[in-house]
Amino acid sequence: MLLEIARTSKDEPLGILASLANRHGLISGATGTGKTVSLQALAQKFSNAGVPVFVADVKGDLAGIAVPGTLSEKMSARLKELALPLPTPGACPTIFWDVYGEKGHPVRSTLSELGPALLSRLMGLNDTQASVLQVLFKVADDAGLLLIDFKDVNALIKLVMENLSQFKEQYGHLSPASIGTIQRALLTLESQGTKDFFGEPAFDALDLLQNSGDGRGYVHVLAADRLLSTPVVYSTFLLWLMSELFEQLPEVGDLEKPKLVFFFDEAHLLFKDAPKALVERIEQVVRLIRSKGVGIYFVTQSPLDIPQTVLGQLSHRIQHALRAFTPQDQKAVKVVADTFRQNPEFSAETAISQLKVGEALISMLDESGAPTVVERAFVQLPGSRLGPIDSAERAAAMAASPVAGHYEKFVDRVSAFETIASRTTASAPETSAATASAPAAASHPSVLNEILFGSVGPRGGRKAGLVEKAATSAARSVASSVGREIVRGLLGSIMGGSRPSRRR
């Protein structure tokens, strides 16, 4: 099945073979050259073919995919002049999402699921501070303390800070200065509004794999205009979502069409200031997630924004105009042109700077899996609206959504904060008595003793503490560590933390 997206000057159709759409792709070009229209046209083609789509709406103008489009007389005349078919007006079944819960259904995760490495990136921690955060997550993991939101990790930090000497014996030196930096960084994150992202019910990535009653794939639109004001939060959120898909989806090999197509707009933000280890992990996910039926399409201004190890895996290319105003720009144009399989009928290097709005150099995979020679063509317009929608249209789409009402119901279940608080309250009489004879008694003795030395339940059952666990054997420690890495998937070292059970 060919998903036609453009026509050449010879009226030859250009498009993506649905069976090869999970080979990933790239839409690039300077601002104002037509990237967003190409993205929307391609997304609607996938949706009509029964493939669910995820897109981040960074400017607010992709929301129009939810309503039928209309053509002005000027646009109709322009399409006829270019010998392009007039689009059939039609909307896509759409589900709106929003981390802040304002323009779509709320999207939440837990700190345990996000993990210490991605959280460190959000907070801008250095390597030393990130390693301390990693230890804090390990303490919670070993003690069975669930970290859902900021109050959980703050409660854990307070417990560790007040008992540094005891935890030092099991986890090594924990710098009070680094812990203080982590506390301040958490406050900064909260002030940026990211606390809305942490909570339950946690977003289930499998909700993205839905089709409407008529067989079309839902287009999931993330309202990202506000989220983009903090680029690190935006890119980390999409990386987390991509990781969730990778971890939850089974291997399926090659299918007649993808299970999901994931568009990553402003893709350069994903790699900006990212450490080498993180880039390597992203490259691994991009390479391997194809076998799970997911196609990833990066959208950015220049292909040079993408690391070579990732760029080499993007088989489908839609290249809009690049402007060569400086020697550096001219060099970039040549490098980009050289990545295409050359067409003897024209110079790709010359064409890149001459492309009109809506025109692009296009190269896809043919039936044998080889890239086609580059063609110069105009991208077809989608049948949905080009531009934003009003609040009433958005509200109607949200009310008709298959997940309406589920994520709006906030759940605050027992986690680290409640566990530590309840154990502290239960030990209050004991603490008061001890204080009279021992003024230097440690704070929170009950919860600390349970974490370090274990506890005995009401029926006599014993729960081992950290000291006992550490003393069993080095081999068991190593095996447990490896086990956690396997459970957490390929991004285990990035995600960190154990996955809490979800209530649906």
Side-chain angles (χ1 to χ4, degrees):
M1 174 171 48
L2 180 70
L3 307 180
E4 182 181 332
I5 60 170
R7 289 286 181 96
T8 68
S9 59
K10 299 177 182 179
D11 199 32
E12 297 172 338
L14 295 176
I16 295 178
L17 292 170
S19 59
L20 297 177
N22 64 335
R23 262 58 170 184
H24 311 319
L26 174 70
I27 301 174
S28 56
T31 300
T33 57
K35 295 192 303 295
T36 300
V37 174
S38 293
L39 189 165
Q40 186 168 333
L42 194 52
Q44 186 153 12
K45 288 291 184 179
F46 279 121
S47 174
N48 290 341
V51 179
V53 175
F54 174 89
V55 298
D57 189 7
V58 298
K59 298 191 292 285
D61 52 3
L62 274 175
I65 202 169
V67 296
T70 57
L71 282 179
S72 64
E73 292 184 6
K74 182 179 179 180
M75 182 61 72
S76 298
R78 174 66 171 161
L79 292 177
K80 290 179 181 179
E81 177 188 343
L82 297 173
L84 290 175
L86 298 180
T88 301
C92 294
T94 306
I95 301 177
F96 289 103
W97 302 94
D98 185 1
V99 168
Y100 303 100
E102 298 171 352
K103 298 181 179 179
H105 305 297
V107 183
R108 302 187 189 93
S109 178
T110 67
L111 287 168
S112 289
E113 287 187 335
L114 188 72
L118 287 183
L119 184 58
S120 295
R121 189 179 188 224
L122 278 178
M123 295 193 295
L125 303 181
N126 61 31
D127 291 344
T128 300
Q129 295 154 359
S131 66
V132 172
L133 185 64
Q134 183 86 34
V135 171
L136 292 175
F137 269 69
K138 180 170 175 53
V139 170
D141 205 11
D142 291 346
L145 296 173
L146 183 59
L147 301 179
I148 292 180
D149 51 26
F150 286 126
K151 71 178 186 296
D152 291 319
V153 72
N154 281 323
L156 176 64
I157 288 174
K158 182 179 180 182
L159 176 68
V160 172
M161 280 286 284
E162 293 177 347
N163 302 278
L164 275 176
S165 59
Q166 290 92 331
F167 285 101
K168 180 179 178 180
E169 295 178 6
Q170 299 301 318
Y171 297 98
H173 178 66
L174 295 173
S175 167
S178 293
I179 295 178
T181 300
I182 291 171
Q183 286 179 307
R184 291 189 295 273
L186 287 171
L187 288 173
T188 300
L189 275 183
E190 287 189 83
S191 67
Q192 293 174 346
T194 53
K195 65 178 181 180
D196 299 319
F197 176 54
F198 297 108
E200 291 187 314
F203 178 72
D204 188 348
L206 298 183
D207 279 339
L208 298 179
L209 308 181
Q210 299 193 55
N211 283 25
S212 62
D214 58 7
R216 290 180 297 161
Y218 272 102
V219 177
H220 300 266
V221 179
L222 174 72
D225 47 348
R226 180 181 170 189
L227 194 61
L228 198 63
S229 63
T230 48
V232 173
V233 176
Y234 168 76
S235 60
T236 303
F237 168 78
L238 291 188
L239 176 57
W240 164 79
L241 186 55
M242 194 165 64
S243 305
E244 286 289 290
L245 287 168
F246 181 85
E247 291 191 6
Q248 293 190 49
L249 292 178
E251 297 279 343
V252 293
D254 292 326
L255 303 172
E256 292 183 359
K257 57 187 179 183
K259 282 188 171 184
L260 176 73
V261 170
F262 189 105
F263 287 95
F264 204 132
D265 204 356
E266 299 293 341
H268 66 283
L269 297 175
L270 177 62
F271 306 100
K272 184 179 180 181
D273 300 325
K276 181 180 178 181
L278 179 59
V279 174
E280 290 175 350
R281 293 291 186 174
I282 296 170
E283 186 267 336
Q284 284 183 295
V285 171
V286 172
R287 185 177 73 248
L288 298 175
I289 202 170
R290 176 178 67 83
S291 65
K292 300 197 173 190
V294 178
I296 299 175
Y297 288 71
F298 294 93
V299 184
T300 190
Q301 291 196 16
S302 171
L304 302 185
D305 295 335
I306 310 295
Q308 292 297 314
T309 54
V310 176
L311 187 62
Q313 300 182 56
L314 309 183
S315 303
H316 305 288
R317 304 286 182 92
I318 300 176
Q319 176 64 60
H320 289 278
L322 289 176
R323 307 308 181 198
F325 298 120
T326 68
Q328 185 176 359
D329 292 339
Q330 293 170 359
K331 182 179 179 181
V333 166
K334 178 174 175 31
V335 171
V336 172
D338 289 343
T339 63
F340 287 106
R341 182 181 170 189
Q342 298 301 307
N343 189 328
E345 297 184 2
F346 66 91
S347 166
E349 182 179 348
T350 302
I352 287 178
S353 300
Q354 299 175 345
L355 295 171
K356 301 175 182 178
V357 175
E359 192 178 15
L361 297 182
I362 299 176
S363 176
M364 305 295 177
L365 296 182
D366 61 21
E367 293 181 351
S368 68
T372 61
V373 295
V374 63
E375 297 283 0
R376 184 170 177 171
F378 281 91
V379 176
Q380 298 174 3
L381 292 181
S384 50
R385 180 189 299 173
L386 295 175
I389 60 176
D390 59 38
S391 57
E393 291 169 325
R394 188 182 293 270
M398 290 178 61
S401 165
V403 296
H406 172 69
Y407 289 103
E408 285 77 4
K409 297 177 181 177
F410 182 76
V411 176
D412 187 14
R413 62 167 162 156
V414 175
S415 52
F417 175 80
E418 289 81 8
T419 300
I420 293 174
S422 64
R423 292 174 182 174
T424 302
T425 302
S427 64
E430 173 189 342
T431 304
S432 300
T435 302
S437 57
S443 61
H444 308 328
S446 179
V447 62
L448 179 63
N449 287 338
E450 287 185 24
I451 290 174
L452 292 176
F453 304 107
S455 60
V456 178
R459 298 184 180 180
R462 175 166 176 74
K463 179 180 178 181
L466 299 183
V467 174
E468 185 176 337
K469 290 178 181 179
T472 53
S473 71
R476 180 177 176 182
S477 176
V478 172
S480 298
S481 176
V482 173
R484 281 194 298 274
E485 291 289 331
I486 295 173
V487 169
R488 291 167 187 164
L490 180 61
L491 286 185
S493 61
I494 292 178
M495 298 294 286
S498 57
R499 180 183 300 278
S501 60
R502 289 173 171 165
R503 296 180 180 176
R504 295 301 306 267

